[in-house]
Amino acid sequence: MEEVDVEPTTTPIPGFDSNQKHLGFVWGPGDILVYETIYKASGGSAGGCPFVHEVRKDEDIYSPILRKLFNESHHIFVGLQRIREDMPSKNKKPQFVSISKNYRSVIRACMEELQQVAVSTQDAALATQYGSQVSILLAVELIWNLCEVLFIDAAPAGSLVLHLLDWVRLHKADVDEKAREVLASESPAEHQAYWDVVISYVLQGRMDEARQVLVKQAALQPAARAMFKLLDNLLMKMPIFNPGETQTLTEFDVKWRHWREEVDRCLQDQSFASNPHLEDICKILVGDEDVLLEHKELLSTWYHFLVTRLLFSHPTVKPTELHYYAQSSMHMFLDTRSVPEPLDSILLAAFEFDIHQVIKDCSIALNNWWFVGHLTDLLDHCKLLQSHNLHFGSNLREFLLLEYASGLFTHHSLWQLAVDYFDHCPEFGRVYLELQIERVPLDTERKALKVIRICEQRQMTEQVRSICKIMAKKALRNNRLGSALSWSIRAKDAAFATLISERFLQDYCANGTFSDLDLIDNLGPAMLLSDRLTFLGKYREFHRLYGEKRFLDAAKLLLSLMTAKIAPRSFWMTLLTDALPLLEQIEVIFSADQTHELMFCLEELTSEKSVPNPDRPMQDEDIETTKIELLRLALARNLAMAIVKERESIEGLVGGWVAGAVVLTGMQPGQPFWRRRQDRDWEPQVIG
């Protein structure tokens, strides 16, 4: 039977009474929009409410200080993914431990900054919020550090207790602060917290510091100097396992047992009976659990009690034995009537080497996926989660990273970090990225280009086209035709490019000039995307040729736009009007054949407009008629000039041909020869 999930926490909505009205909601990418409906809880309807409430699933990503945590840990995460799979395990372990410490250093840096801000702020609510975040980060670092000792570093017997001591010392730093206060006083040995400091040092295995503080008391009691000297000697001689030395674990165990027997003899001899404080310290050294529990306030937590108990009773404990001592220590230390806190359950699961329970409990207790996502990723690289797959296909590591990255995508800037997390989720990462990337608000073109670059690097063609279409429509709504055309070309959207080209042509007809000339002049092969875009580019080229006084090329291009049916029929009158200045040139630009083509186009256009349009103003009809008359007159005049010019050219050609014939044949002027007429009958011709 599967374990039932914990009931979710209730989030109160300000000013809403669930007993009176129903709530409606809409799921967002990371948040929920909640609104009051018009329906009463008891039935019937009531007045609506104009307020919409945004319920955020993860508030931490909006904290400016915690954003540093997300940014810094992202760099560590990416570096972890670059560790080669084929590298030997013995070479990987130091790297994994180093990466774990990097994660912890980032957590601690953010925690210290939050503490400083919480102290300096004048806003009580903000100070409470920061204090809550500090508490969460303290618990997170505590759990991570323990997982590093037990799972990542996997300290063996002997070294294990030393690592656990470092773990406790790091998270029980108030001893040093209290010691500084005592030593800074006028008479440290008479300070009320003096013996608390000494015993706290002993409980943490910090014998050198304890001996230094004890010297203050020994100086005040010359008569008891021998007793203090004896305890100092016991503290100094306490064996500490050093994995770097040649001493074996068995040799250390023998040495430690001899030392413990010596301490025990001192107790049996009642060497410290005259001083209860020294006697308590001696009992602590032999691991007297009753005395340890008398100092609960100094230990403060059951796991500190556990480590102290191991130090003085079982210094060579094996990792596989930890769970027994952890369970018994928690039961001994905590009140039997009290319920363990979530943190206690998580730490106990870690001591029991139940990695998956640690991850599950952390997922429930913490308010975001940052911790479980990064810790699970690191443990997965350590090959500690290989046997655990989820029922719906993805493994535990990928599931948690996907959840964490999806949360980042709701933030206006952190979404960029999420891309790398999706990249390193081989099964569903790309699918998630494709869905999430389209939800990024495209507030500016710079942001849109950033999103497109991400998509192009991953060959996400459809997403690129979708984003370009969105930006093109935005630009068109803002009447930025150049930008809209650029985005539609990038999207390869022929229909939208046609629509924008029409808008360019309409603006030209209205204003007589083109906007965004640089874009139109440099369309290049992109103009082939649609016929209308091709026409726009070619029509702009016509104007450029005309401006450069290359009239023959301009006339040829203008005619080809009409005869090849590239130009829209609605634009023919504009093209014919553009031909007028060329028709009025002193030099003949259009040949007779080209003029005939223009005449044909004009007649074809006027035949379509012969049906009167009742909705069109009379003034527009008169202007149109005047244009047509001017065009006909100009075309007729140009046709006449072209024919004359072409006849002169033919006669000049014939004259040259006759002169050549005289030279070649030796014929004299006045001598007849035969020439074929247009009716194909031959007639005599005389050379003039």
Side-chain angles (χ1 to χ4, degrees), residues 10-27:
T10 302
T11 302
I13 306 295
F16 172 73
D17 185 2
S18 59
N19 296 320
Q20 297 295 325
K21 291 182 181 179
H22 283 297
L23 269 183
F25 66 91
V26 178
W27 289 103

Side-chain angles (χ1 to χ4, degrees), residues 104-105 107-108 111 115 134-149 163-176 204 206 298-301 303-304 307 343 347:
R104 289 199 294 112
S105 66
I107 297 171
R108 187 158 285 273
M111 186 167 56
Q115 284 175 325
V134 168
S135 300
I136 292 171
L137 288 181
L138 274 169
V140 162
E141 208 231 335
L142 181 73
I143 299 166
W144 191 302
N145 196 352
L146 181 60
C147 291
E148 178 185 307
V149 171
H163 283 79
L164 291 175
L165 274 174
D166 291 337
W167 172 61
V168 165
R169 291 167 186 168
L170 183 63
H171 300 280
K172 192 77 171 76
D174 59 336
V175 179
D176 294 310
Q204 289 189 6
R206 299 167 67 176
L298 299 180
L299 291 167
S300 72
T301 60
Y303 46 88
H304 188 179
V307 176
L343 177 60
L347 295 177

Side-chain angles (χ1 to χ4, degrees), residues 579-639:
L580 266 175
L582 297 174
L583 294 170
E584 297 293 340
Q585 294 289 326
I586 297 175
E587 181 186 357
V588 177
I589 305 299
F590 290 102
S591 67
D593 290 340
Q594 290 175 328
T595 308
H596 277 122
E597 292 284 357
L598 290 174
M599 287 180 166
F600 175 77
C601 291
L602 178 62
E603 293 307 316
E604 189 175 347
L605 188 61
T606 53
S607 64
E608 292 177 357
K609 295 186 177 182
S610 58
V611 180
N613 186 356
D615 298 329
R616 193 172 185 184
M618 185 62 68
Q619 185 178 1
D620 290 351
E621 290 283 354
D622 293 341
I623 293 173
E624 194 77 12
T625 303
T626 303
K627 280 184 181 179
I628 292 172
E629 292 302 324
L630 287 173
L631 280 168
R632 282 175 174 160
L633 181 62
L635 287 167
R637 186 185 301 118
N638 188 82
L639 181 61

